[in-house]
Amino acid sequence: MTRSPFVEFRNVVKRFGERTILDGVDLTVFKGEITTIIGKSGAGKSVLLKHIIGLLKPDSGEILFEGRPLRSMSKAEWKQLKRKVSYMFQQNALFDSMNVFDNVALPLRERTRMPAEEIRKKVMARIEQFELSEVTDKFPSQISGGMQKRVALARALVTDPSIILFDEPTTGLDPLRKNTVLSMIAHHQREIGFTAVMVSHDIPDVFLISNRVAIIEDKRIPFQGTPVELEQSDDPLVQQFIRGQESLADELTGLLTRPDLEQKIRQELTRIGRFQKTFSVVLFVIDDLEHIREKVGFIAAQRIVQCLGNLLKGHLGTTGMSARFSQNEILTVLPHTDLSRAQHFLEDLAGRMKDAETFQAKTYPRICLEFYIKAGIAQANSGASLESLIEQARSNLRTIAHLECTTGRRVSKS
Amino acid sequence: MKKQALPLALFRYLGRSFISFVGELGAIAIFFFYGFVNIFSYPFQPRKIMQQVYFIGAKSIMIVALVGLFTGMVLGLQGYYTLVKFGSEGMLGAAVALSLLRELGPVLTALMVIGRAGSSMAAEIGIMRISEQIDALDTMDIDPIRFLISPRIGASIISFPLLTSLFDVIGILGGYLTGCLLLRINSGIYFNRIYDSVVMKDVTSGYWKSLAFAIIVSTICSYQGYFTHLRPGGFGARGVSLATTSAVVISCVLVLAADYVLTSLLL
């Protein structure tokens, strides 16, 4: 598929009275893709959507539809264009005094001069596609929430739009239903091939179905790109967004965020040259955390990280700092510590770990999976970089603690 | 804010409320004209207008007939009581018919329809507003005023005069019931007096009034519902309840005020 921009925002500014909502927004929505806009509540996501459908007009800047600026379009052209756009409301906004059939048929009845029989055929086709045949005579309040969402999507699709705007389609749904709605959107998008723009809070679930992600923050769009690009971006703001869901977990383990710690290490590195003070870093790796999560459970995996975090915190007090470095790695900085003292610290820590509940087989009554915690030390010298330090620590890894299962309940790793 | 001298603050307050009042009047006028003009825009909406005629008109027949009957009966009793003092109880038919045709018919019909259909108009549109159904229409490129308001204004203009005629006829029959059957006035005199004293102008002035009331009631009730979300007092269900209350109160007061103005113009 050739990627041609469908909607483009160029330096769009929107103010409501004194308040500036959008201040120089650039955004590209490609044809046939799902573009998701994420951002904090009240950051202007819905305002952005309303510009696409023309409910709001920009104070300055330009919006282009298929390369043609909106401003230069005649009224008839704009009307034509508006028919290609559908909008799905957060609360579905179904007409509650009309039955399912009439709800889906309404846009055709009101906007086209189609004969009734043709409308019937078209509506029934959509209704069957969304598996709603049994409820055509029911009213929206008589059907389940998931069905209401399907009716809303069927209504949005019945006019064969080329772009559908989704205003927080999953907000306030339970996780199970959330996944159903997202997969429904993804499924029908693939099947029908419409362009979708979605506003959402549900990170990271929406990444799975999105082709592009745009972050709106502080009246602008500082990032737009594929979900993979997003995940690999080292922009602290972007990281903050994708780590939003992990922040509770980090809160529980008492660890810092990775950008905070990296900044601290860089600071320490510059001080070595000036004050001749060395420091060490210790990298802890929990072997096969992914396996534990899969076989034993999410909570068990979380407990292990938490245990390590708590031990480190208890042992170091306020002198050291630790952060979740990656999914199964924790990085600790020991200020004013040379290699031998760091060594000593590790041995001490290993001793305490042996007694921790997490490392006792009886903690896992049903499934036990052996795992190892490894640690590697590196001492910082003047001229060392953050990357080389971590590399060095990684090459020094050795096991400091492990869990041994009693043979009966042991499961193998693969 | 700087503290203002009391008279200045007072004038400011008065001025501001007056300006917002005039602004509101303008908004209502535009709302009405837009809705009215769209009754005649192509494609026409005869189905929707007929549905509303059924709801506003046909379903109000019972209550209008009932109220008409009792109003006529009371007029018969009270009129007889007054007229008999002057020995002119034969004029009862004229008294009942004139007061019904010129005054009570249009006004009481309007008040009954406000209670029955106006309140539900405001509530229904208000709920559609707060549940984003009106915004949904907007995004589907369906003009919400044309879709929701025009049929209601059109249906009111059709229904009000018809209901008023029904009220008048049943009211006159009610007067006959008490005057002739109960109080033994000659029925020939009763109807002959009506025939003698009622001129066409009495009938038409009643219809003009009912048309004016149709416009007032449908516009005010729809307007209150349509702009529920802009009410300062409440949101959601509370907003709808406030909108319904003020729809009923404002349209009742306006109907009575307009009645006075129209009477003095049409007399």
Side-chain angles (χ1 to χ4, degrees):
Chain A
M1 191 164 31
T2 50
R3 274 161 62 92
S4 55
F6 192 73
V7 183
E8 280 177 90
F9 279 62
R10 287 199 189 148
N11 204 17
V12 168
V13 178
K14 179 72 191 175
R15 294 185 197 90
F16 290 125
E18 300 280 287
R19 268 174 66 224
T20 308
I21 306 292
L22 304 176
D23 189 8
V25 161
D26 292 297
L27 174 72
T28 313
V29 175
F30 287 100
K31 203 167 196 149
E33 290 193 348
I34 299 182
T35 303
T36 302
I37 301 165
I38 56 177
K40 294 181 191 129
S41 306
K45 300 186 298 277
S46 301
V47 173
L48 205 65
L49 271 197
K50 283 180 180 152
H51 275 88
I52 300 181
I53 200 161
L55 286 176
L56 295 171
K57 297 208 166 23
D59 291 333
S60 74
E62 251 182 333
I63 299 175
L64 289 87
F65 260 92
E66 292 175 313
R68 288 168 51 232
L70 223 58
R71 238 176 248 277
S72 70
M73 282 185 195
S74 68
K75 216 171 170 185
E77 278 179 303
W78 167 236
K79 223 175 156 73
Q80 198 64 35
L81 186 85
K82 209 175 162 189
R83 299 195 164 187
K84 292 189 187 172
V85 187
S86 276
Y87 195 100
M88 230 180 103
F89 285 83
Q90 191 179 344
Q91 314 285 355
N92 305 327
L94 293 173
F95 300 107
D96 45 20
S97 48
M98 294 183 193
N99 64 25
V100 168
F101 182 89
D102 289 338
N103 259 290
V104 180
L106 186 80
L108 291 178
R109 282 184 185 153
E110 291 296 318
R111 291 207 312 208
T112 65
R113 306 243 172 101
M114 251 182 228
E117 189 47 38
E118 203 177 320
I119 290 179
R120 227 191 97 76
K121 252 189 227 160
K122 220 169 154 171
V123 171
M124 284 317 285
R126 282 284 178 228
I127 281 182
E128 267 157 39
Q129 187 181 16
F130 284 90
E131 296 164 23
L132 293 164
S133 314
E134 280 156 32
V135 296
T136 42
D137 296 330
K138 294 233 163 100
F139 288 89
S141 56
Q142 294 174 311
I143 60 178
S144 71
M147 275 184 176
Q148 288 177 10
K149 271 257 141 60
R150 295 214 295 271
V151 175
L153 191 56
R155 185 179 69 180
L157 280 168
V158 79
T159 48
D160 298 319
S162 35
I163 180 165
I164 302 185
L165 314 177
F166 294 90
D167 190 0
E168 309 201 2
T170 54
T171 303
L173 297 181
D174 57 73
L176 209 64
R177 200 168 280 166
K178 190 182 293 181
N179 286 341
T180 320
V181 169
L182 287 178
S183 60
M184 172 186 86
I185 293 172
H187 172 76
H188 291 289
Q189 194 270 339
R190 262 201 312 276
E191 205 173 347
I192 300 162
F194 56 83
T195 308
V197 181
M198 195 161 31
V199 160
S200 186
H201 290 300
D202 284 312
I203 307 164
D205 303 4
V206 288
F207 295 157
L208 297 176
I209 70 161
S210 309
N211 301 92
R212 271 172 78 77
V213 178
I215 293 180
I216 181 163
E217 170 77 19
D218 202 18
K219 300 162 199 161
R220 290 159 188 280
I221 296 198
F223 174 90
Q224 51 180 318
T226 65
V228 178
E229 282 168 1
L230 177 87
E231 216 159 38
Q232 289 173 354
S233 163
D234 47 13
D235 186 333
L237 178 80
V238 175
Q239 286 301 321
Q240 192 194 330
F241 265 99
I242 41 181
R243 290 190 180 280
Q245 33 110 30
E246 282 173 20
S247 65
L248 173 67
D250 285 344
E251 195 64 44
L252 294 175
T253 52
L255 299 172
L256 295 174
T257 62
R258 179 173 165 174
D260 285 348
L261 190 74
E262 282 181 351
Q263 197 190 354
K264 189 77 197 165
I265 294 176
R266 289 208 175 88
Q267 272 175 11
E268 290 285 335
L269 279 170
T270 55
R271 285 163 66 163
I272 293 180
R274 270 190 281 168
F275 303 106
Q276 301 296 320
K277 277 183 182 164
T278 186
F279 70 98
S280 298
V281 295
V282 187
L283 183 71
F284 294 92
V285 179
I286 305 162
D287 230 15
D288 285 314
L289 195 66
E290 208 43 50
H291 268 108
I292 297 168
R293 199 167 284 174
E294 245 170 63
K295 294 254 165 72
V296 189
F298 180 82
I299 294 174
Q302 182 61 31
R303 276 284 154 75
I304 293 167
V305 179
Q306 203 173 337
C307 163
L308 186 57
N310 284 343
L311 275 174
L312 281 170
K313 214 172 164 195
H315 210 66
L316 291 168
T318 51
T319 54
M321 278 169 300
S322 308
R324 189 89 169 255
F325 194 67
S326 74
Q327 207 51 263
N328 64 336
E329 291 173 324
I330 290 177
L331 188 68
T332 300
V333 178
L334 305 169
H336 320 302
T337 309
D338 58 16
L339 207 55
S340 64
R341 277 178 65 188
Q343 207 74 262
H344 191 71
F345 158 76
L346 259 192
E347 279 160 24
D348 203 18
L349 191 71
R352 288 186 188 216
M353 274 187 185
K354 280 200 183 73
D355 305 329
E357 199 183 66
T358 313
F359 296 89
Q360 312 299 323
K362 64 173 188 290
T363 312
Y364 310 92
R366 204 167 57 80
I367 302 169
C368 181
L369 183 73
E370 291 191 349
F371 68 90
Y372 297 84
I373 292 186
K374 296 174 178 165
I377 310 172
Q379 186 183 343
N381 301 309
S382 57
S385 71
L386 173 65
E387 289 74 20
S388 68
L389 260 182
I390 290 164
E391 204 46 54
Q392 201 187 333
R394 211 183 283 278
S395 63
N396 290 340
L397 282 181
R398 60 189 182 82
T399 304
I400 57 163
H402 82 282
L403 171 73
E404 220 172 327
C405 296
T406 47
T407 42
R409 290 176 293 125
R410 180 186 298 176
V411 290
S412 63
K413 276 180 189 170
S414 51
Chain B
M1 219 168 79
K2 218 172 71 182
K3 208 176 170 194
Q4 291 164 342
L6 189 65
L8 199 63
L10 183 70
F11 279 116
R12 246 175 222 209
Y13 172 74
L14 283 176
R16 195 174 297 137
S17 1
F18 187 73
I19 288 170
S20 75
F21 173 71
V22 173
E24 181 100 352
L25 277 188
I28 293 175
I30 293 169
F31 184 81
F32 163 70
F33 279 113
Y34 191 80
F36 184 74
V37 167
N38 268 304
I39 298 174
F40 307 104
S41 69
Y42 190 79
F44 305 123
Q45 316 182 72
R47 238 182 94 95
K48 260 176 255 149
I49 295 182
M50 284 330 281
Q51 275 171 355
Q52 289 301 325
V53 168
Y54 173 70
F55 178 71
I56 298 171
K59 288 203 147 188
S60 304
I61 285 177
M62 199 57 208
I63 182 101
V64 166
L66 214 59
V67 173
L69 181 71
F70 282 108
T71 309
M73 283 164 70
V74 166
L75 275 180
L77 283 179
Q78 295 280 23
Y80 181 84
Y81 176 78
T82 313
L83 289 171
V84 85
K85 294 191 172 174
F86 308 104
S88 47
E89 61 269 29
M91 297 298 285
L92 185 67
V96 169
L98 284 179
S99 45
L100 278 173
L101 286 170
R102 297 184 61 95
E103 200 60 54
L104 292 175
V107 172
L108 286 181
T109 306
L111 293 181
M112 287 335 290
V113 178
I114 290 170
R116 218 200 63 79
S119 56
S120 67
M121 225 186 272
E124 189 180 345
I125 297 174
I127 287 173
M128 291 188 78
R129 167 61 79 189
I130 60 162
S131 60
E132 290 185 317
Q133 293 176 48
I134 290 178
D135 300 273
L137 286 172
D138 236 337
T139 62
M140 285 180 203
D141 203 19
I142 299 169
D143 185 341
I145 292 189
R146 189 188 124 84
F147 183 81
L148 293 172
I149 312 302
S150 300
R152 286 177 165 82
I153 294 178
S156 300
I157 289 175
I158 294 171
S159 310
F160 271 63
L162 291 175
L163 289 172
T164 304
S165 342
L166 182 76
F167 189 100
D168 291 345
V169 169
I170 293 188
I172 289 170
L173 287 179
Y176 167 79
L177 281 183
T178 45
C180 301
L181 298 187
L182 203 68
L183 300 169
R184 300 279 167 211
I185 296 174
N186 185 299
S187 63
I189 294 177
Y190 181 82
F191 285 112
N192 191 45
R193 284 295 177 191
I194 297 176
Y195 184 75
D196 277 348
S197 57
V198 173
V199 291
M200 197 57 200
K201 200 180 167 218
D202 299 323
V203 181
T204 47
S205 77
Y207 282 136
W208 281 122
K209 280 185 182 175
S210 74
L211 280 179
F213 297 160
I215 289 169
I216 290 172
V217 171
S218 58
T219 307
I220 296 291
C221 293
S222 309
Y223 181 88
Q224 291 296 332
Y226 197 81
F227 293 106
T228 302
H229 61 308
L230 298 181
R231 298 186 73 83
F235 298 95
R238 179 117 190 90
V240 175
S241 90
L242 289 175
T244 312
T245 307
S246 53
V248 171
V249 171
I250 294 173
S251 34
C252 283
V253 171
L254 274 184
V255 159
L256 293 171
D259 181 49
Y260 174 77
V261 175
L262 284 171
T263 306
S264 61
L265 286 179
L266 293 167
L267 207 61

